[in-house]
């Protein structure tokens, strides 16, 4: 008797696509793929036919046309003559800004509330439970409107800061909280300013690497390196670079140039201020972007008694911004503004070249630092210059943060409760305090449970930011999906771009968080 240990392989037949379990699943998947492609092709063909019947086509040329509308909150330069494409970029940056701020704040709130929900203190535990239930069960749109309404109703208007009987004042002469928003000093980067920032970033990276090296040394060799070295790596290089530029390029002197009709030559800045009050002359300041001398000169002027908001005889000022010194000089010579700060070496020649007459004040303005603050001030009806954080941004930011923070708190609580109680008891038996047990033992293990739902919360924040239109915050939905769409009538193109943006940003967030999740997940041998 003969036994075949390796029977010949059966030849493939078409009937095996349905009858053989090895191929049946592939057959159904292929059919589903064909059906899906056919459906998409049908919808696309139907769209093209309808557009052709309506005399329309798909074109993105409108992105290069002037937008014709203003955007009050922006991170880059923009005006109404900018293109629709630039308006879309401003909207994208605004969306990313509020999403980033809300994600960070919601994470801090959520982790704190989630941990405190498990507190042994009855009052703290119940307060956190009330926070979670109150905020997650009310639509986020309601919270956006509530916070925005409270801000505009409670905070003072700009006129409350002016006059002898002013009821409000700027905090530290630099911060103003008004019903129009919060005004804070902006940063102006002069010579070496960018290098200072890069040095600071490199120092932060160096501090992080030193911390990891210190931990590795402790675990591998039991040797503990000093912790102050990390702080030295963070602080010393930045201070050295900052001082180096302050003592070299920062020593360049500048002079304030004004028309000869409002001041005599070589008078002090204080005397100039008194003359302004006597003649009731207002200042139109030529501010050069990225000029620390220009920012410092404006700050010196705002420090004069003639500029104090509570002074009944105070004069008013407004700023006109220019991207280069040459443009500012041209505008000053043409009479578009009546105050300008130029290097002392050029002051005499420039003043004599102005046909209508100009003089240099005796007060010197030194750059003094590679980075200066652009101080906000009250112009005619509102604060200007510095950084404006509008009420719509604050309302949207805090509403998204506290609303999503309630969901994150539940995720954190679930993650902590997923860790065996034996872990806590074992750590306590080693003498660790409750806070150290939470930070070193419980939370690191709970992260692998917390992070997957946390990704969904971050995606929800990004997508819920499209509710910004309710309070007038110009995100990508308000610019590209709102005004641009209505002005150009290019609904399909705008909607496709909106879908592409949210798809890309959502996949990016998901990808980054998945990388982090893989980095912190439990490693098994």
């Amino acid at each position: 008797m003969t036994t075949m240990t390796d029977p010949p392989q059966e030849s493939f037949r078409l009937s095996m696509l349905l009858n053989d379990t090895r191929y049946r699943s592939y057959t159904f998947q292929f059919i589903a793929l064909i059906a899906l492609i056919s459906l998409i092709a049908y919808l696309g063909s139907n769209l093209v036919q309808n557009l052709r019947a309506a005399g329309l086509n798909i074109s993105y040329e409108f992105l290069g046309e002037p937008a014709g509308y203003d955007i009050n909150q922006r991170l880059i330069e923009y005006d109404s003559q900018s293109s629709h494409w630039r308006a879309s970029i401003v909207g994208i940056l605004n969306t990313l800004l509020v999403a980033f701020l809300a994600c960070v704040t919601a994470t801090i709130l959520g982790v704190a509330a989630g941990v405190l929900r498990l507190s042994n203190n009855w009052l703290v535990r119940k307060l956190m439970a009330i926070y979670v239930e109150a905020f997650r069960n009310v639509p986020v749109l309601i919270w956006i409107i509530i916070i925005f309404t409270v801000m505009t109703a409670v905070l003072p208007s700009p006129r409350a800061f002016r006059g002898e009987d002013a009821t409000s004042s700027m905090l530290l002469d630099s911060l103003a909280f008004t019903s129009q928003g919060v005004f804070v000093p902006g940063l102006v980067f002069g010579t070496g300013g960018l290098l200072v920032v890069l040095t600071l970033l490199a120092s932060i990276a160096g501090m992080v690497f030193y911390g990891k090296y210190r931990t590795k040394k402790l675990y591998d060799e039991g040797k503990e390196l000093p912790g102050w070295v990390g702080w030295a790596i963070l602080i010393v290089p930045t201070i050295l670079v900052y001082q180096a530029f302050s003592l070299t390029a920062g020593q360049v002197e500048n002079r304030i140039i004004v028309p000869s009709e409002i001041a005599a030559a070589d008078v002090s800045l204080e005397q100039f201020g008194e003359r302004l009050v006597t003649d009731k002359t207002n200042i139109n300041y030529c501010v050069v972007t990225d000029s620390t001398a220009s920012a410092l000169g404006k700050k010196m002027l705002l420090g004069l008694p003639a500029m104090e908001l509570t002074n009944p005889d105070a004069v008013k000022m407004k700023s006109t911004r220019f991207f280069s010194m040459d443009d500012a000089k041209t505008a000053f010579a043409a009479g578009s503004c009546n105050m300008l700060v130029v290097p002392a070496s050029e002051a005499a020649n420039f003043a004599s070249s102005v046909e209508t007459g100009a003089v240099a004040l005796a007060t010197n303005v030194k750059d003094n630092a590679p980075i200066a603050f652009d101080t906000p001030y009250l112009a005619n009806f509102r604060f200007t210059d510095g950084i404006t954080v509008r009420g719509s941004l604050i309302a949207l930011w805090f509403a998204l943060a506290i609303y999503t923070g309630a969901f994150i708190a539940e995720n954190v609580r679930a993650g902590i409760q997923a860790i065996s109680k034996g872990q806590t008891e074992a750590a306590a038996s080693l003498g660790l305090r409750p806070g150290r047990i939470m930070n070193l033992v419980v939370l690191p293990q709970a992260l692998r449970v917390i992070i997957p739902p946390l990704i969904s919360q971050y995606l929800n924040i990004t997508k819920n930011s499209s509710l910004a239109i309710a309070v007038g915050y110009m995100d990508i939905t308000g610019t590209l999906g709102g005004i641009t769409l209505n002005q150009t009538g290019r609904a399909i193109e705008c909607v496709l771009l909106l879908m592409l943006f949210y798809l890309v940003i959502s996949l990016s967030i998901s990808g980054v968080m998945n990388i982090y999740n893989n980095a912190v997940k439990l490693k098994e041998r």
Side-chain angles (χ1 to χ4, degrees):
M1 183 177 177
T2 303
T3 303
M4 295 180 63
T5 57
D6 190 12
Q9 194 168 11
E10 188 179 6
S11 60
F12 177 77
R13 302 185 305 277
L14 286 178
S15 58
M16 296 172 67
L17 292 175
L18 292 177
N19 299 329
D20 194 326
T21 56
R22 292 176 298 173
Y23 303 111
R24 187 182 301 155
S25 61
Y26 295 109
T27 303
F28 289 143
Q29 290 179 46
F30 181 74
I31 294 173
L33 178 63
I34 294 296
L36 180 62
I37 293 175
S38 301
L39 178 62
I40 294 175
Y42 169 74
L43 293 176
S45 173
N46 190 41
L47 172 65
V48 172
Q49 289 179 6
N50 288 334
L51 286 174
R52 188 181 298 119
L56 301 175
N57 62 345
I58 294 180
S59 172
Y60 289 94
E61 293 180 357
F62 69 95
L63 292 174
E65 300 173 357
Y69 59 90
D70 291 321
I71 300 177
N72 50 24
Q73 182 78 54
R74 51 185 180 268
L75 295 177
I76 60 176
E77 291 295 331
Y78 171 86
D79 57 40
S80 59
Q81 296 305 310
S82 301
S83 64
H84 284 293
W85 172 249
R86 192 163 184 85
S88 302
I89 297 298
V90 173
I92 289 174
L93 293 177
N94 283 348
T95 299
L96 296 178
L97 172 66
V98 73
F100 173 77
L101 293 174
C103 284
V104 173
T105 312
T107 303
I108 295 172
L109 281 175
V111 172
V115 172
L116 291 177
R117 279 210 71 182
L118 300 172
S119 170
N120 294 324
N121 187 305
W122 181 88
L123 180 60
V124 171
R125 190 168 64 248
K126 292 302 178 185
L127 284 176
M128 291 301 105
I130 292 172
Y131 158 70
V132 170
E133 298 302 333
F135 281 92
R136 74 173 179 176
N137 291 314
V138 176
V140 64
L141 179 60
I142 303 298
W143 286 117
I144 293 173
I145 295 174
I146 289 175
I147 296 175
F148 184 73
T149 304
V150 169
M151 277 198 63
T152 54
V154 172
L155 293 179
S157 64
R159 71 174 61 180
F161 290 77
R162 192 191 296 281
E164 197 173 2
D165 54 348
T167 56
S168 301
S169 60
M170 296 181 70
L171 181 64
L172 302 176
D173 290 331
S174 301
L175 303 171
F177 297 86
T178 75
S179 57
Q180 295 178 348
V182 178
F183 297 84
V184 301
L187 292 179
V188 178
F189 296 96
T191 305
L194 184 59
L195 186 59
V196 172
V197 174
L198 293 176
T199 304
L200 176 62
L201 295 177
S203 300
I204 294 173
M207 184 183 183
V208 172
F209 282 118
Y210 176 76
K212 290 185 176 180
Y213 174 73
R214 183 167 174 252
T215 303
K216 187 174 185 304
K217 199 80 172 174
L218 179 63
Y219 288 167
D220 292 349
E221 304 176 15
K223 185 184 293 183
E224 186 174 7
L225 299 177
W228 61 267
V229 175
W231 291 104
I233 293 174
L234 175 66
I235 298 173
V236 173
T238 306
I239 291 179
L240 289 178
V241 174
Y242 187 91
Q243 287 298 326
F245 280 100
S246 298
L247 297 175
T248 54
Q251 296 302 308
V252 176
E253 293 184 348
N254 298 269
R255 303 289 293 275
I256 299 174
I257 306 295
V258 298
S260 55
E261 62 183 12
I262 64 174
D266 292 332
V267 300
S268 66
L269 186 62
E270 289 73 17
Q271 293 171 323
F272 172 66
E274 294 171 0
R275 176 69 181 274
L276 291 177
V277 174
T278 304
D279 297 343
K280 295 295 181 185
T281 304
N282 293 330
I283 292 296
N284 186 354
Y285 192 95
C286 292
V287 178
V288 180
T289 305
D290 296 334
S291 169
T292 52
S294 187
L296 186 59
K298 187 182 70 174
K299 188 175 182 180
M300 293 170 65
L301 184 70
L302 290 172
L304 294 177
M307 303 300 297
E308 289 181 357
L309 296 176
T310 55
N311 184 352
D313 299 321
V315 297
K316 296 180 181 178
M317 185 174 79
K318 71 174 183 179
S319 300
T320 304
R321 292 192 166 269
F322 300 93
F323 290 107
S324 69
M325 179 61 76
D326 291 338
D327 292 341
K329 287 180 177 178
T330 303
F332 182 90
S336 300
C337 48
N338 59 7
M339 184 170 176
L340 174 66
V341 174
V342 301
S345 58
E346 307 172 11
N349 290 336
F350 174 69
S352 60
S353 67
V354 178
E355 295 181 357
T356 55
V359 295
L361 301 184
T363 304
N364 287 324
V365 180
K366 285 187 177 180
D367 271 355
N368 202 37
I371 299 176
F373 289 104
D374 183 23
T375 309
Y377 66 93
L378 181 58
N380 290 336
F381 302 106
R382 62 183 298 274
F383 281 90
T384 185
D385 286 357
I387 296 176
T388 304
V389 185
R390 294 198 165 270
S392 54
L393 169 60
I394 296 174
L396 184 64
W397 168 16
F398 279 100
L400 290 174
I402 58 177
Y403 175 78
T404 312
F407 290 92
I408 294 177
E410 289 301 272
N411 296 336
V412 171
R413 186 169 69 97
I416 292 174
Q417 289 182 328
I419 305 303
S420 168
K421 212 171 182 180
Q423 297 279 336
T424 304
E425 294 171 351
S429 68
L430 296 175
L432 293 177
R433 295 178 179 178
R436 302 282 287 177
I437 294 174
M438 181 61 69
N439 292 331
L440 300 177
V441 178
V442 178
L443 277 180
Q445 297 185 77
L447 280 178
R448 65 177 188 269
V449 179
I450 296 171
I451 290 177
L454 190 63
I455 298 174
S456 298
Q457 300 306 331
Y458 287 168
L459 296 179
N460 287 338
I461 285 178
T462 305
K463 289 178 285 189
N464 285 338
S465 66
S466 60
L467 295 171
I469 196 68
V471 288
Y473 181 71
M474 298 299 285
D475 69 335
I476 183 63
T477 308
T479 55
L480 180 64
I483 301 178
T484 295
L485 188 152
N486 290 327
Q487 283 188 354
T488 62
R490 294 287 181 178
I492 295 175
E493 293 90 337
C494 291
V495 170
L496 287 176
L497 286 176
L498 279 175
M499 292 171 61
L500 178 64
F501 165 73
Y502 281 110
L503 182 64
V504 169
I505 196 64
S506 297
L507 291 178
S508 300
I509 293 173
S510 180
V512 171
M513 291 302 295
N514 279 322
I515 292 174
Y516 180 67
N517 189 34
N518 288 329
V520 300
K521 73 178 183 181
L522 189 62
K523 305 290 190 306
E524 296 182 353
R525 295 180 180 177

